[in-house]
Amino acid sequence: MKVHELSWSIKGTVIIDGIVLHAPHGKITGLLGPNGSGKTTLLRAVARLARADRGAVHLDGSDLARLRRRDLARRLAVVEQHAGTDLDVSVLDVVLLGRTPYRSALQSDSEQDRRLAFEALAQVNMAEFASRRWNTLSGGEKQRVHLARALTQRPALLVLDEPTNHLDIAHALSLLALVQRAGLTTFAALHDLNLAAMYCDHLVVLREGRVVAGGAPHDVLTPELLMDVFDVRADVGRHPETGRPLLTFHPPGVVVPS
């Protein structure tokens, strides 16, 4: 995916300004930035949930703005922060929503639809929950089901908006590991910098609606950038098992011996 000069404003206030970036094919690109930096707005503009003032988003050579909604839904799937869907339906019914772009309004679920739904549930370790009622699930279970729904769409691009925001650490690690194993081109806004370092192949950092850094985690997550963008002092080491960056933050006001 490539984003070219994407800008969006509301009532004269610029939220994202001239965004240029790329998300490598088949890799996880993490979108980082402090609160109010424009991460969610950028994701919504990429997914055409908000109309950009100017710029374009290309996926496999196609301008997403020129695609019909049905065609867009076959190419792109979104998992938002909050797992909605409050209706009294089964888990399988929720996952089958991912097949909506592939059938007409009056067409019922096909055998292929159900097979793909069960395959996606198995991918997220929720196959045994297929007949459970949606409203009996925990927050972490709902996020996994929404990921299964997105996978059932068979998208070329997976867009995730803070998917671990309300999850405990075990569920957060599990969810991102599932995304990693899926092998899709993924564009994900993340709040936890260490999770981003652990699971993302490429990082993009926003500040005040503009891209200020991009590249591999070990190139982007430097003490200088963390101070400049996030206003935190941190040491950046290497994870003993993965070799990826491992961030240790200094509490505010604590003097670190030289």
Side-chain angles (χ1 to χ4, degrees):
M1 180 194 71
K2 294 183 179 180
V3 176
H4 306 275
E5 296 290 343
L6 200 66
S7 297
W8 189 80
S9 60
I10 180 169
K11 296 182 179 179
T13 299
V14 177
I15 309 298
I16 54 173
D17 186 14
I19 300 293
V20 176
L21 62 85
H22 79 282
H25 179 76
K27 304 294 184 180
I28 300 177
T29 295
L31 182 62
L32 309 179
N35 291 342
S37 60
K39 298 188 300 296
T40 294
T41 298
L42 176 55
L43 291 185
R44 289 178 61 83
V46 166
R48 278 181 54 191
L49 298 175
R51 183 185 294 275
D53 298 332
R54 64 183 178 88
V57 180
H58 289 92
L59 180 63
D60 299 330
S62 298
D63 184 344
L64 296 187
R66 296 181 179 276
L67 297 180
R68 297 180 304 167
R69 281 291 174 184
R70 178 182 292 269
D71 293 331
L72 179 67
R74 293 179 177 182
R75 305 287 297 280
L76 182 151
V78 180
V79 177
E80 299 187 83
Q81 289 187 40
H82 305 286
T85 314
D86 294 325
L87 298 176
D88 183 21
V89 295
S90 72
V91 166
L92 180 60
D93 290 332
V94 173
V95 178
L96 282 168
L97 291 174
R99 300 306 297 166
T100 302
Y102 297 92
R103 58 177 185 258
S104 66
L106 300 178
Q107 187 177 358
S108 59
D109 302 322
S110 67
E111 285 300 317
Q112 181 186 26
D113 292 335
R114 294 177 66 83
R115 177 179 59 79
L116 292 173
F118 277 111
E119 287 177 0
L121 281 169
Q123 278 184 268
V124 302
N125 302 317
M126 292 286 288
E128 70 275 18
F129 286 73
S131 61
R132 278 273 298 271
R133 308 313 293 175
W134 167 259
N135 52 20
T136 67
L137 301 184
S138 68
E141 290 166 345
K142 286 181 176 180
Q143 282 297 79
R144 281 194 282 166
V145 172
H146 269 305
L147 179 58
R149 184 264 308 156
L151 295 175
T152 302
Q153 285 181 235
R154 289 297 193 263
L157 175 64
L158 180 62
V159 174
L160 308 175
D161 186 9
E162 302 278 9
T164 64
N165 203 31
H166 301 288
L167 304 184
D168 60 41
I169 187 60
H171 284 101
L173 291 168
S174 174
L175 186 78
L176 289 176
L178 291 169
V179 172
Q180 191 176 57
R181 288 198 297 271
L184 295 172
T185 302
T186 301
F187 191 39
L190 294 169
H191 182 74
D192 189 308
L193 300 182
N194 272 312
L195 286 179
M198 184 180 298
Y199 288 101
C200 295
D201 306 287
H202 185 80
L203 297 176
V204 174
V205 182
L206 294 187
R207 180 178 58 194
E208 297 178 350
R210 296 185 177 186
V211 173
V212 296
H218 64 268
D219 291 327
V220 170
L221 296 175
T222 65
E224 294 77 16
L225 178 132
L226 295 169
M227 173 57 74
D228 185 41
V229 175
F230 296 94
D231 196 27
V232 294
R233 290 182 300 120
D235 295 324
V236 182
R238 289 289 180 267
H239 192 283
E241 294 183 13
T242 66
R244 285 175 171 260
L246 181 62
L247 282 56
T248 304
F249 300 102
H250 299 294
V254 175
V255 178
V256 181
S258 56

